[in-house]
Amino acid sequence: MPGSCLPDRPKRAAFSLERGAAVSPQTPGLFDDLPPQLAERPKPLAPAEQAQALRAQLHQHAHAYYTLDAPEIPDAEYDRLFRALQVLESEHPALRTPDSPTQRVGGQILDAFAQVRHHVPMLSIRTETDTEASGAEAFDTRIRKELGLSESEPPVDYVGELKFDGLAMSLRYEGGMLVQAATRGDGETGEDVTTNIRMIGQIPLRLAANAPTVLEVRGEVYMRRDDFEALNERQRQRIAAGTKGEKTFVNPRNAAAGAVRQLDSGIAAERPLSFFAYGLGDITPASEGGPQWSSHYDMLMQLKAWGFPVAEQTAFVQGAAGLVAFHQRMAAERDALPYDIDGVVYKVNDLAQQLRLGFVTREPRWAVAHKYPAQEEMTTVLAIDVQVGRTGKLTPVAKLSPVFVGGVTVTNATLHNELEARRKDVRVGDTVIVRRAGDVIPEVVSVVLDRRPPEAPLFTMLTHCPVCGSLAEREEGEADHRCTGGLFCSAQRKQAIWHFAHRRAMDVDGLGDKLVDQLVDTGQVKTLADLYHLKLDSLANIDRMAEKSAINLLEALEKSKTTTLGRFLFSLGIRHVGEATAKELARHFGQLDAIMVASEDALLQVADVGPVVAHSIRTFFDQPHNRKVVQALRDAGVIWPEGEALAPTEMPLAGITVVLTGTLQSMGRDEAKEQLESLGAKVAGSVSKKTHYVVAGAEAGSKLDKAQALGVPVLDDVGLALLLAGQKP
Ligand code: IVH
């Protein structure tokens, strides 16, 4: 929250400034810069009333910020109110109450945490690893059996919750005030971490008047991923600056646990934590005026109403089918959550049924946790190799001791470039945390510095290309080093050939990267045009190449000769000329010769071509060896229909921008893109206000949501067909 007062949280929303409040200045100057509606009150209030009013406002704003995600005043305003209360309390120490927001700011250093005996033990939960969702069915079967339900009886009501990856916490409120926060410990006795927990802005310090006299809320303290990244970045800077005793954290859970159990509350205050409520401990019994709920879900909703964060994914579901659907939905949503979960939790909803089911040892029989496979694992860096890309980009890649993470065995993780490798300070011999979430390429999250072997060498980028020995250079303002060898470099040559043969370029079926390696390594292919002079007998000499495959390859090469100008241009691998730009160039100029001689100014007339791209195209065709490659390809028989450039505005879908998302029934996404573009439409990757249509197939995701939010028309397969037929859908 605001400035220095509360731990920072990056997410902010728009403000609304309309809020009056019952505070009036008494100490001159103190409220001078308050907004007029606060400053101009006729009758001065007594200090006690002032303090009370300030506390009420600060509580309310903290709630709006942390729980509702809808702050009502800007940070600076909050800070002023906060400081006003601080001054008032220091002038009148008797006014300082334990629930005052000023008490969230740490300062005390403890020797050890006091022990807390839980009034109601903190139970554990039965945990099973379930990647198949079949565990949900087994759980439901067991529950039905234990409740003695026959098949004809209706499905059991459940609550599906997320299994947060943090640490369990019990928050005790007496008379509506937070009096104690305790860790789980051994379930019977935990540690009193109240001081640190008070600093979590999301945790109410005081409850509404209708809260029971005694209330223990159980939940999970955790750290959001963005907060974790920022914390680790800060830690890295401290380490780099030579601050002693600092370290980076392995994962958000570890960072959260460290913050909660931090004896120096000043340090704890710098580590932003969050909280989700999911259960109850001790509570005033109904017979003594306490609340009476009949279901777990109702209880959670009441906790929410009292200001405790309850995850919005929490769902009331019915029967095994409901649990399975919840499991699948959460598995799909998992990667998009701003915090880590390690699975889902199913709980029987009806509290009377929970009571009948009871406990086994320390686990309730009415709940089970189903874990997902881990997305982060630890492994060691065996080497840091430098790979050479198509345009000569040198990429440091950490070679890892094989590790199973996120469902696959990972042996490589890109470090992107020298700066990035240095920022994370990954070294050979290091133990690292590798993360693979969803389909995202694996990445090194952080180094476990405690385990660094002595004298592990700092990573430095090579000064020369590891493949051809040419000088490696980093251009001013760029992060990447590049090999300056061009097509002299066999690594670049291989990548260039592979790109040339790509399905969206010349589309040479069967020319995969292994074969390209062999063709280049055996010296059969030195330039792109050499591909079209390959002979059956020399191909058959290549390892493991069956004659049939050799014939197929020659046929595919022959077929690829008839192409389009757009594909041909794309296949040349000109830096900054992607598929869309190549098509635009072809459409604009109509003929290759026109492009080859076009000035940068002429190139700038093409949609999507800016100065960098224009310069790159000009430079490419200015090189005699590149012109030779083009000529050699034409000589080998590569042809395309050349025509007059069609003025872009004459095309039926000119000026229309379309975004494709999800799986279409009528055609693949590539085909849809090609057809739309051939009619002059632009197919963009993301939705904005400028998008004319979003074509959404099955399982469309965030792009569809964005289209709906922006009011962009959404088309299905039929709408797409109409569009392609030149009709307005
Ligand atoms: S319920 C009586 N619900 O997982 C059941 N636990 O052993 C008590 N956890 O210690 C736990 N998310 O720290 C429950 N939605 C959730 C949870 C959850 C995470 C943690 C909790 C507990 C551990 C399981």
Side-chain angles (χ1 to χ4, degrees), residues 472-515:
E473 279 181 344
R474 182 157 71 92
E475 277 170 36
E476 189 72 27
E478 290 216 0
D480 299 327
H481 281 74
R482 283 177 198 283
C483 160
T484 53
L487 288 182
F488 167 73
C489 177
S490 68
Q492 290 188 56
R493 223 180 305 146
K494 284 177 185 172
Q495 301 281 340
I497 294 168
W498 181 79
H499 173 79
F500 180 81
H502 191 271
R503 188 168 52 81
R504 303 234 280 269
M506 296 297 280
D507 193 16
V508 184
D509 206 17
L511 189 55
D513 41 3
K514 291 248 157 47
L515 187 52

mmCIF file of all heavy atoms in Angstrom, residues 472-515:
data_model
loop_
_atom_site.group_PDB
_atom_site.id
_atom_site.type_symbol
_atom_site.label_atom_id
_atom_site.label_comp_id
_atom_site.label_asym_id
_atom_site.label_seq_id
_atom_site.Cartn_x
_atom_site.Cartn_y
_atom_site.Cartn_z
ATOM 1 N N ALA A 472 32.540 -11.827 -32.303
ATOM 2 C CA ALA A 472 31.171 -11.649 -31.798
ATOM 3 C C ALA A 472 31.046 -10.217 -31.321
ATOM 4 O O ALA A 472 31.910 -9.732 -30.606
ATOM 5 C CB ALA A 472 30.905 -12.613 -30.656
ATOM 6 N N GLU A 473 29.969 -9.548 -31.734
ATOM 7 C CA GLU A 473 29.812 -8.140 -31.367
ATOM 8 C C GLU A 473 28.453 -7.875 -30.767
ATOM 9 O O GLU A 473 27.476 -8.519 -31.119
ATOM 10 C CB GLU A 473 29.943 -7.262 -32.622
ATOM 11 C CG GLU A 473 31.380 -7.014 -32.995
ATOM 12 C CD GLU A 473 31.502 -6.117 -34.223
ATOM 13 O OE1 GLU A 473 30.488 -5.950 -34.944
ATOM 14 O OE2 GLU A 473 32.605 -5.606 -34.447
ATOM 15 N N ARG A 474 28.425 -6.879 -29.886
ATOM 16 C CA ARG A 474 27.137 -6.441 -29.364
ATOM 17 C C ARG A 474 26.942 -5.007 -29.807
ATOM 18 O O ARG A 474 27.769 -4.149 -29.523
ATOM 19 C CB ARG A 474 27.123 -6.525 -27.841
ATOM 20 C CG ARG A 474 25.809 -6.135 -27.223
ATOM 21 C CD ARG A 474 25.658 -6.738 -25.845
ATOM 22 N NE ARG A 474 26.543 -6.099 -24.878
ATOM 23 C CZ ARG A 474 26.183 -5.057 -24.125
ATOM 24 N NH1 ARG A 474 24.964 -4.570 -24.225
ATOM 25 N NH2 ARG A 474 27.024 -4.514 -23.286
ATOM 26 N N GLU A 475 25.828 -4.788 -30.529
ATOM 27 C CA GLU A 475 25.601 -3.431 -31.028
ATOM 28 C C GLU A 475 25.162 -2.526 -29.890
ATOM 29 O O GLU A 475 24.513 -2.969 -28.940
ATOM 30 C CB GLU A 475 24.523 -3.442 -32.118
ATOM 31 C CG GLU A 475 25.088 -3.796 -33.474
ATOM 32 C CD GLU A 475 23.996 -4.035 -34.507
ATOM 33 O OE1 GLU A 475 22.970 -3.341 -34.448
ATOM 34 O OE2 GLU A 475 24.182 -4.926 -35.343
ATOM 35 N N GLU A 476 25.484 -1.279 -30.032
ATOM 36 C CA GLU A 476 25.091 -0.235 -29.088
ATOM 37 C C GLU A 476 23.584 -0.352 -28.790
ATOM 38 O O GLU A 476 22.777 -0.439 -29.721
ATOM 39 C CB GLU A 476 25.399 1.103 -29.791
ATOM 40 C CG GLU A 476 25.291 2.345 -28.961
ATOM 41 C CD GLU A 476 26.412 2.480 -27.942
ATOM 42 O OE1 GLU A 476 27.507 1.941 -28.175
ATOM 43 O OE2 GLU A 476 26.155 3.114 -26.908
ATOM 44 N N GLY A 477 23.240 -0.399 -27.529
ATOM 45 C CA GLY A 477 21.819 -0.396 -27.169
ATOM 46 C C GLY A 477 21.128 -1.740 -27.314
ATOM 47 O O GLY A 477 19.935 -1.851 -27.076
ATOM 48 N N GLU A 478 21.839 -2.778 -27.751
ATOM 49 C CA GLU A 478 21.212 -4.097 -27.877
ATOM 50 C C GLU A 478 21.736 -5.030 -26.793
ATOM 51 O O GLU A 478 22.865 -4.883 -26.327
ATOM 52 C CB GLU A 478 21.521 -4.692 -29.254
ATOM 53 C CG GLU A 478 20.798 -3.962 -30.357
ATOM 54 C CD GLU A 478 20.356 -4.891 -31.467
ATOM 55 O OE1 GLU A 478 20.621 -6.113 -31.375
ATOM 56 O OE2 GLU A 478 19.746 -4.397 -32.410
ATOM 57 N N ALA A 479 20.892 -5.995 -26.419
ATOM 58 C CA ALA A 479 21.309 -6.923 -25.372
ATOM 59 C C ALA A 479 22.073 -8.108 -25.960
ATOM 60 O O ALA A 479 22.862 -8.742 -25.279
ATOM 61 C CB ALA A 479 20.083 -7.428 -24.619
ATOM 62 N N ASP A 480 21.839 -8.389 -27.245
ATOM 63 C CA ASP A 480 22.380 -9.618 -27.826
ATOM 64 C C ASP A 480 23.735 -9.434 -28.490
ATOM 65 O O ASP A 480 23.980 -8.431 -29.163
ATOM 66 C CB ASP A 480 21.413 -10.145 -28.903
ATOM 67 C CG ASP A 480 20.060 -10.457 -28.307
ATOM 68 O OD1 ASP A 480 20.027 -10.876 -27.133
ATOM 69 O OD2 ASP A 480 19.050 -10.263 -29.007
ATOM 70 N N HIS A 481 24.574 -10.448 -28.315
ATOM 71 C CA HIS A 481 25.809 -10.519 -29.091
ATOM 72 C C HIS A 481 25.491 -11.245 -30.388
ATOM 73 O O HIS A 481 24.645 -12.130 -30.405
ATOM 74 C CB HIS A 481 26.870 -11.334 -28.346
ATOM 75 C CG HIS A 481 27.541 -10.571 -27.258
ATOM 76 N ND1 HIS A 481 26.919 -10.279 -26.072
ATOM 77 C CD2 HIS A 481 28.799 -10.046 -27.177
ATOM 78 C CE1 HIS A 481 27.758 -9.596 -25.307
ATOM 79 N NE2 HIS A 481 28.906 -9.441 -25.949
ATOM 80 N N ARG A 482 26.184 -10.892 -31.463
ATOM 81 C CA ARG A 482 25.987 -11.570 -32.735
ATOM 82 C C ARG A 482 27.307 -11.968 -33.338
ATOM 83 O O ARG A 482 28.297 -11.246 -33.240
ATOM 84 C CB ARG A 482 25.286 -10.633 -33.742
ATOM 85 C CG ARG A 482 23.848 -10.515 -33.486
ATOM 86 C CD ARG A 482 23.146 -9.554 -34.408
ATOM 87 N NE ARG A 482 21.889 -9.250 -33.757
ATOM 88 C CZ ARG A 482 20.845 -10.071 -33.749
ATOM 89 N NH1 ARG A 482 20.892 -11.205 -34.431
ATOM 90 N NH2 ARG A 482 19.760 -9.771 -33.094
ATOM 91 N N CYS A 483 27.280 -13.107 -34.037
ATOM 92 C CA CYS A 483 28.435 -13.536 -34.807
ATOM 93 C C CYS A 483 28.447 -12.690 -36.077
ATOM 94 O O CYS A 483 27.414 -12.500 -36.715
ATOM 95 C CB CYS A 483 28.297 -15.016 -35.146
ATOM 96 S SG CYS A 483 29.334 -15.513 -36.528
ATOM 97 N N THR A 484 29.600 -12.184 -36.426
ATOM 98 C CA THR A 484 29.667 -11.315 -37.606
ATOM 99 C C THR A 484 29.981 -12.114 -38.875
ATOM 100 O O THR A 484 30.191 -11.538 -39.935
ATOM 101 C CB THR A 484 30.754 -10.232 -37.408
ATOM 102 O OG1 THR A 484 31.976 -10.908 -37.062
ATOM 103 C CG2 THR A 484 30.375 -9.263 -36.309
ATOM 104 N N GLY A 485 30.003 -13.440 -38.772
ATOM 105 C CA GLY A 485 30.407 -14.289 -39.906
ATOM 106 C C GLY A 485 29.390 -14.428 -41.032
ATOM 107 O O GLY A 485 29.725 -14.882 -42.121
ATOM 108 N N GLY A 486 28.132 -14.058 -40.774
ATOM 109 C CA GLY A 486 27.105 -14.188 -41.808
ATOM 110 C C GLY A 486 27.037 -15.605 -42.344
ATOM 111 O O GLY A 486 27.220 -16.573 -41.603
ATOM 112 N N LEU A 487 26.793 -15.742 -43.657
ATOM 113 C CA LEU A 487 26.628 -17.085 -44.212
ATOM 114 C C LEU A 487 27.945 -17.854 -44.303
ATOM 115 O O LEU A 487 27.966 -19.032 -44.641
ATOM 116 C CB LEU A 487 25.929 -17.030 -45.573
ATOM 117 C CG LEU A 487 24.437 -16.687 -45.465
ATOM 118 C CD1 LEU A 487 23.787 -16.682 -46.840
ATOM 119 C CD2 LEU A 487 23.688 -17.625 -44.531
ATOM 120 N N PHE A 488 29.044 -17.198 -43.948
ATOM 121 C CA PHE A 488 30.316 -17.905 -43.829
ATOM 122 C C PHE A 488 30.240 -18.866 -42.626
ATOM 123 O O PHE A 488 30.878 -19.908 -42.594
ATOM 124 C CB PHE A 488 31.440 -16.873 -43.638
ATOM 125 C CG PHE A 488 32.748 -17.483 -43.207
ATOM 126 C CD1 PHE A 488 33.510 -18.216 -44.120
ATOM 127 C CD2 PHE A 488 33.209 -17.344 -41.907
ATOM 128 C CE1 PHE A 488 34.710 -18.788 -43.719
ATOM 129 C CE2 PHE A 488 34.403 -17.912 -41.509
ATOM 130 C CZ PHE A 488 35.157 -18.649 -42.424
ATOM 131 N N CYS A 489 29.416 -18.494 -41.650
ATOM 132 C CA CYS A 489 29.293 -19.286 -40.419
ATOM 133 C C CYS A 489 28.349 -20.456 -40.675
ATOM 134 O O CYS A 489 27.183 -20.256 -41.037
ATOM 135 C CB CYS A 489 28.742 -18.388 -39.311
ATOM 136 S SG CYS A 489 28.459 -19.266 -37.781
ATOM 137 N N SER A 490 28.856 -21.678 -40.464
ATOM 138 C CA SER A 490 28.011 -22.824 -40.823
ATOM 139 C C SER A 490 26.777 -22.911 -39.928
ATOM 140 O O SER A 490 25.739 -23.400 -40.341
ATOM 141 C CB SER A 490 28.818 -24.125 -40.791
ATOM 142 O OG SER A 490 29.168 -24.431 -39.469
ATOM 143 N N ALA A 491 26.874 -22.394 -38.707
ATOM 144 C CA ALA A 491 25.690 -22.408 -37.838
ATOM 145 C C ALA A 491 24.608 -21.522 -38.440
ATOM 146 O O ALA A 491 23.438 -21.886 -38.499
ATOM 147 C CB ALA A 491 26.054 -21.914 -36.450
ATOM 148 N N GLN A 492 25.017 -20.360 -38.921
ATOM 149 C CA GLN A 492 24.037 -19.454 -39.523
ATOM 150 C C GLN A 492 23.512 -20.022 -40.837
ATOM 151 O O GLN A 492 22.354 -19.846 -41.179
ATOM 152 C CB GLN A 492 24.657 -18.070 -39.738
ATOM 153 C CG GLN A 492 24.899 -17.358 -38.414
ATOM 154 C CD GLN A 492 25.331 -15.927 -38.595
ATOM 155 O OE1 GLN A 492 24.648 -15.153 -39.237
ATOM 156 N NE2 GLN A 492 26.468 -15.581 -38.035
ATOM 157 N N ARG A 493 24.419 -20.690 -41.534
ATOM 158 C CA ARG A 493 23.998 -21.299 -42.800
ATOM 159 C C ARG A 493 22.935 -22.373 -42.546
ATOM 160 O O ARG A 493 21.916 -22.426 -43.215
ATOM 161 C CB ARG A 493 25.221 -21.924 -43.472
ATOM 162 C CG ARG A 493 25.275 -21.656 -44.959
ATOM 163 C CD ARG A 493 26.496 -22.297 -45.590
ATOM 164 N NE ARG A 493 27.745 -21.903 -44.955
ATOM 165 C CZ ARG A 493 28.802 -22.716 -44.828
ATOM 166 N NH1 ARG A 493 28.757 -23.954 -45.262
ATOM 167 N NH2 ARG A 493 29.903 -22.283 -44.264
ATOM 168 N N LYS A 494 23.197 -23.199 -41.548
ATOM 169 C CA LYS A 494 22.230 -24.267 -41.228
ATOM 170 C C LYS A 494 20.866 -23.670 -40.878
ATOM 171 O O LYS A 494 19.830 -24.119 -41.345
ATOM 172 C CB LYS A 494 22.720 -25.085 -40.027
ATOM 173 C CG LYS A 494 23.831 -26.048 -40.368
ATOM 174 C CD LYS A 494 24.308 -26.765 -39.116
ATOM 175 C CE LYS A 494 25.494 -27.637 -39.443
ATOM 176 N NZ LYS A 494 26.107 -28.205 -38.240
ATOM 177 N N GLN A 495 20.918 -22.649 -40.024
ATOM 178 C CA GLN A 495 19.659 -22.028 -39.616
ATOM 179 C C GLN A 495 18.977 -21.373 -40.804
ATOM 180 O O GLN A 495 17.750 -21.403 -40.926
ATOM 181 C CB GLN A 495 19.919 -20.964 -38.544
ATOM 182 C CG GLN A 495 20.589 -21.466 -37.302
ATOM 183 C CD GLN A 495 19.631 -22.170 -36.366
ATOM 184 O OE1 GLN A 495 18.427 -21.971 -36.457
ATOM 185 N NE2 GLN A 495 20.157 -23.013 -35.504
ATOM 186 N N ALA A 496 19.779 -20.794 -41.696
ATOM 187 C CA ALA A 496 19.215 -20.118 -42.868
ATOM 188 C C ALA A 496 18.515 -21.133 -43.771
ATOM 189 O O ALA A 496 17.428 -20.873 -44.299
ATOM 190 C CB ALA A 496 20.322 -19.389 -43.629
ATOM 191 N N ILE A 497 19.127 -22.316 -43.927
ATOM 192 C CA ILE A 497 18.532 -23.352 -44.783
ATOM 193 C C ILE A 497 17.268 -23.901 -44.141
ATOM 194 O O ILE A 497 16.240 -24.089 -44.782
ATOM 195 C CB ILE A 497 19.566 -24.476 -45.039
ATOM 196 C CG1 ILE A 497 20.718 -23.898 -45.874
ATOM 197 C CG2 ILE A 497 18.925 -25.667 -45.731
ATOM 198 C CD1 ILE A 497 21.922 -24.801 -45.951
ATOM 199 N N TRP A 498 17.370 -24.101 -42.846
ATOM 200 C CA TRP A 498 16.211 -24.623 -42.126
ATOM 201 C C TRP A 498 15.037 -23.644 -42.243
ATOM 202 O O TRP A 498 13.903 -24.019 -42.506
ATOM 203 C CB TRP A 498 16.622 -24.832 -40.670
ATOM 204 C CG TRP A 498 15.537 -25.373 -39.836
ATOM 205 C CD1 TRP A 498 15.128 -26.677 -39.766
ATOM 206 C CD2 TRP A 498 14.689 -24.636 -38.972
ATOM 207 N NE1 TRP A 498 14.079 -26.791 -38.905
ATOM 208 C CE2 TRP A 498 13.789 -25.550 -38.400
ATOM 209 C CE3 TRP A 498 14.598 -23.283 -38.617
ATOM 210 C CZ2 TRP A 498 12.808 -25.163 -37.503
ATOM 211 C CZ3 TRP A 498 13.631 -22.902 -37.721
ATOM 212 C CH2 TRP A 498 12.749 -23.845 -37.169
ATOM 213 N N HIS A 499 15.340 -22.380 -42.111
ATOM 214 C CA HIS A 499 14.305 -21.343 -42.245
ATOM 215 C C HIS A 499 13.735 -21.312 -43.675
ATOM 216 O O HIS A 499 12.526 -21.225 -43.871
ATOM 217 C CB HIS A 499 14.908 -19.981 -41.884
ATOM 218 C CG HIS A 499 13.995 -18.824 -42.153
ATOM 219 N ND1 HIS A 499 12.963 -18.485 -41.309
ATOM 220 C CD2 HIS A 499 13.937 -17.941 -43.188
ATOM 221 C CE1 HIS A 499 12.312 -17.455 -41.818
ATOM 222 N NE2 HIS A 499 12.882 -17.099 -42.951
ATOM 223 N N PHE A 500 14.627 -21.419 -44.649
ATOM 224 C CA PHE A 500 14.232 -21.416 -46.066
ATOM 225 C C PHE A 500 13.213 -22.523 -46.343
ATOM 226 O O PHE A 500 12.225 -22.331 -47.051
ATOM 227 C CB PHE A 500 15.494 -21.634 -46.907
ATOM 228 C CG PHE A 500 15.278 -21.654 -48.394
ATOM 229 C CD1 PHE A 500 15.175 -20.469 -49.117
ATOM 230 C CD2 PHE A 500 15.207 -22.858 -49.103
ATOM 231 C CE1 PHE A 500 14.997 -20.481 -50.494
ATOM 232 C CE2 PHE A 500 15.027 -22.881 -50.474
ATOM 233 C CZ PHE A 500 14.923 -21.680 -51.174
ATOM 234 N N ALA A 501 13.466 -23.698 -45.726
ATOM 235 C CA ALA A 501 12.638 -24.869 -45.995
ATOM 236 C C ALA A 501 11.351 -24.888 -45.168
ATOM 237 O O ALA A 501 10.487 -25.736 -45.376
ATOM 238 C CB ALA A 501 13.446 -26.133 -45.700
ATOM 239 N N HIS A 502 11.229 -23.946 -44.237
ATOM 240 C CA HIS A 502 10.109 -23.949 -43.298
ATOM 241 C C HIS A 502 8.756 -23.973 -44.014
ATOM 242 O O HIS A 502 8.606 -23.437 -45.109
ATOM 243 C CB HIS A 502 10.198 -22.709 -42.397
ATOM 244 C CG HIS A 502 9.262 -22.768 -41.238
ATOM 245 N ND1 HIS A 502 7.981 -22.305 -41.308
ATOM 246 C CD2 HIS A 502 9.425 -23.264 -39.991
ATOM 247 C CE1 HIS A 502 7.380 -22.493 -40.141
ATOM 248 N NE2 HIS A 502 8.238 -23.073 -39.327
ATOM 249 N N ARG A 503 7.806 -24.601 -43.355
ATOM 250 C CA ARG A 503 6.459 -24.761 -43.923
ATOM 251 C C ARG A 503 5.871 -23.430 -44.395
ATOM 252 O O ARG A 503 5.206 -23.351 -45.416
ATOM 253 C CB ARG A 503 5.560 -25.365 -42.832
ATOM 254 C CG ARG A 503 4.204 -25.787 -43.259
ATOM 255 C CD ARG A 503 3.552 -26.634 -42.176
ATOM 256 N NE ARG A 503 3.587 -25.963 -40.865
ATOM 257 C CZ ARG A 503 2.716 -25.017 -40.497
ATOM 258 N NH1 ARG A 503 1.745 -24.656 -41.313
ATOM 259 N NH2 ARG A 503 2.822 -24.455 -39.312
ATOM 260 N N ARG A 504 6.128 -22.367 -43.662
ATOM 261 C CA ARG A 504 5.537 -21.085 -44.050
ATOM 262 C C ARG A 504 6.435 -20.320 -45.014
ATOM 263 O O ARG A 504 6.060 -19.256 -45.492
ATOM 264 C CB ARG A 504 5.254 -20.253 -42.810
ATOM 265 C CG ARG A 504 4.333 -20.997 -41.846
ATOM 266 C CD ARG A 504 3.133 -20.195 -41.482
ATOM 267 N NE ARG A 504 3.473 -19.223 -40.468
ATOM 268 C CZ ARG A 504 3.366 -19.461 -39.170
ATOM 269 N NH1 ARG A 504 2.938 -20.616 -38.737
ATOM 270 N NH2 ARG A 504 3.678 -18.543 -38.310
ATOM 271 N N ALA A 505 7.649 -20.852 -45.266
ATOM 272 C CA ALA A 505 8.535 -20.207 -46.247
ATOM 273 C C ALA A 505 8.415 -21.009 -47.552
ATOM 274 O O ALA A 505 7.360 -21.012 -48.164
ATOM 275 C CB ALA A 505 9.950 -20.148 -45.718
ATOM 276 N N MET A 506 9.490 -21.745 -47.961
ATOM 277 C CA MET A 506 9.407 -22.471 -49.233
ATOM 278 C C MET A 506 8.696 -23.822 -49.080
ATOM 279 O O MET A 506 8.445 -24.503 -50.069
ATOM 280 C CB MET A 506 10.808 -22.671 -49.812
ATOM 281 C CG MET A 506 11.497 -21.362 -50.181
ATOM 282 S SD MET A 506 10.654 -20.446 -51.490
ATOM 283 C CE MET A 506 11.246 -21.348 -52.916
ATOM 284 N N ASP A 507 8.433 -24.200 -47.855
ATOM 285 C CA ASP A 507 7.646 -25.408 -47.585
ATOM 286 C C ASP A 507 8.238 -26.661 -48.237
ATOM 287 O O ASP A 507 7.595 -27.311 -49.064
ATOM 288 C CB ASP A 507 6.196 -25.184 -48.055
ATOM 289 C CG ASP A 507 5.264 -26.272 -47.524
ATOM 290 O OD1 ASP A 507 5.672 -26.978 -46.578
ATOM 291 O OD2 ASP A 507 4.157 -26.407 -48.060
ATOM 292 N N VAL A 508 9.478 -26.975 -47.854
ATOM 293 C CA VAL A 508 10.112 -28.197 -48.360
ATOM 294 C C VAL A 508 9.859 -29.298 -47.333
ATOM 295 O O VAL A 508 10.478 -29.314 -46.266
ATOM 296 C CB VAL A 508 11.632 -28.015 -48.563
ATOM 297 C CG1 VAL A 508 12.233 -29.279 -49.187
ATOM 298 C CG2 VAL A 508 11.916 -26.787 -49.393
ATOM 299 N N ASP A 509 8.925 -30.159 -47.664
ATOM 300 C CA ASP A 509 8.528 -31.209 -46.747
ATOM 301 C C ASP A 509 9.693 -32.178 -46.522
ATOM 302 O O ASP A 509 10.361 -32.568 -47.477
ATOM 303 C CB ASP A 509 7.339 -31.949 -47.388
ATOM 304 C CG ASP A 509 6.479 -32.582 -46.329
ATOM 305 O OD1 ASP A 509 6.620 -32.185 -45.163
ATOM 306 O OD2 ASP A 509 5.686 -33.466 -46.672
ATOM 307 N N GLY A 510 9.970 -32.541 -45.301
ATOM 308 C CA GLY A 510 10.978 -33.575 -45.032
ATOM 309 C C GLY A 510 12.391 -33.043 -44.847
ATOM 310 O O GLY A 510 13.303 -33.818 -44.584
ATOM 311 N N LEU A 511 12.586 -31.726 -44.951
ATOM 312 C CA LEU A 511 13.932 -31.186 -44.741
ATOM 313 C C LEU A 511 14.025 -30.650 -43.304
ATOM 314 O O LEU A 511 13.916 -29.456 -43.061
ATOM 315 C CB LEU A 511 14.217 -30.085 -45.765
ATOM 316 C CG LEU A 511 15.663 -29.566 -45.820
ATOM 317 C CD1 LEU A 511 16.667 -30.673 -46.029
ATOM 318 C CD2 LEU A 511 15.824 -28.531 -46.937
ATOM 319 N N GLY A 512 14.223 -31.581 -42.391
ATOM 320 C CA GLY A 512 14.264 -31.215 -40.968
ATOM 321 C C GLY A 512 15.656 -30.763 -40.556
ATOM 322 O O GLY A 512 16.599 -30.792 -41.360
ATOM 323 N N ASP A 513 15.804 -30.368 -39.301
ATOM 324 C CA ASP A 513 17.095 -29.802 -38.897
ATOM 325 C C ASP A 513 18.243 -30.808 -38.875
ATOM 326 O O ASP A 513 19.372 -30.461 -39.183
ATOM 327 C CB ASP A 513 16.997 -29.011 -37.579
ATOM 328 C CG ASP A 513 16.136 -29.673 -36.544
ATOM 329 O OD1 ASP A 513 15.655 -30.784 -36.830
ATOM 330 O OD2 ASP A 513 15.952 -29.092 -35.462
ATOM 331 N N LYS A 514 17.929 -32.090 -38.569
ATOM 332 C CA LYS A 514 18.997 -33.108 -38.567
ATOM 333 C C LYS A 514 19.594 -33.242 -39.961
ATOM 334 O O LYS A 514 20.813 -33.289 -40.139
ATOM 335 C CB LYS A 514 18.435 -34.474 -38.149
ATOM 336 C CG LYS A 514 18.026 -34.530 -36.702
ATOM 337 C CD LYS A 514 18.968 -35.465 -35.922
ATOM 338 C CE LYS A 514 18.962 -35.139 -34.452
ATOM 339 N NZ LYS A 514 17.606 -34.976 -33.872
ATOM 340 N N LEU A 515 18.704 -33.295 -40.945
ATOM 341 C CA LEU A 515 19.144 -33.467 -42.324
ATOM 342 C C LEU A 515 19.926 -32.236 -42.799
ATOM 343 O O LEU A 515 20.953 -32.356 -43.475
ATOM 344 C CB LEU A 515 17.909 -33.717 -43.217
ATOM 345 C CG LEU A 515 18.168 -34.078 -44.675
ATOM 346 C CD1 LEU A 515 19.149 -35.241 -44.792
ATOM 347 C CD2 LEU A 515 16.853 -34.449 -45.365
#
